[in-house]
């Protein structure tokens, strides 16, 4: 589903960040219990513009378009990551 969320301001109001986070690791292969005990969550990285950060979650968006009729932008490709899964958020500064 391709839904855009309209937000106010310009892209400069939203910092570009890289988020390092854990995700579950699922497998459907047969393996020994010894090997299964060694499985770890996947370490993931997501890059986007930070829309919101709360104690429970962080939401970023990867795509945006300018709304020429009204002030603001529309955003797409959103990721909402639970705060408990986030290991690090680093702001990316483009000069």
């Amino acid at each position: 589903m391709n839904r855009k969320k309209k937000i106010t301001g310009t892209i400069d109001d939203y910092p570009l960040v890289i988020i390092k986070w854990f995700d579950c690791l699922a497998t459907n292969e047969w393996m020994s219990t010894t090997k299964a005990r060694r499985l770890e969550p996947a370490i993931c990285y997501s890059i986007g513009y930070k829309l919101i950060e709360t104690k429970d979650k962080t939401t970023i968006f990867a795509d945006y378009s300018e709304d020429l009729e009204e002030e603001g932008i529309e955003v797409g490709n959103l990721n909402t990551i639970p705060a408990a899964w986030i290991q690090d958020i680093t702001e990316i500064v483009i000069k």
Side-chain angles (χ1 to χ4, degrees):
M1 176 182 279
N2 184 11
R3 293 179 8 181
K4 292 183 180 179
K5 179 177 180 181
K6 187 173 181 175
I7 56 178
T8 59
T10 68
I11 194 62
D12 295 329
D13 297 327
Y14 304 94
L16 183 62
V17 296
I18 184 166
I19 300 178
K20 178 182 177 182
W21 57 285
F22 287 138
D23 198 2
C24 70
L25 179 66
T27 179
N28 65 350
E29 67 183 89
W30 288 98
M31 68 178 69
S32 69
T33 55
T34 301
K35 184 177 176 183
R37 285 187 180 104
R38 290 194 306 260
L39 292 176
E40 296 289 336
I43 300 173
C44 303
Y45 296 86
S46 296
I47 298 174
Y49 295 92
K50 184 168 56 172
L51 178 63
I52 187 170
E53 182 177 4
T54 70
K55 66 179 181 91
D56 298 318
K57 67 182 180 185
T58 297
T59 299
I60 60 174
F61 60 92
D63 302 318
Y64 70 95
S65 64
E66 296 177 352
D67 186 339
L68 300 177
E69 294 179 5
E70 299 179 31
E71 285 192 31
I73 60 176
E74 292 185 338
V75 298
N77 277 333
L78 286 93
N79 279 322
T80 298
I81 304 168
W85 296 5
I86 295 174
Q87 302 305 300
D88 187 50
I89 300 177
T90 304
E91 187 169 342
I92 300 169
V93 179
I94 301 173
K95 296 181 181 185

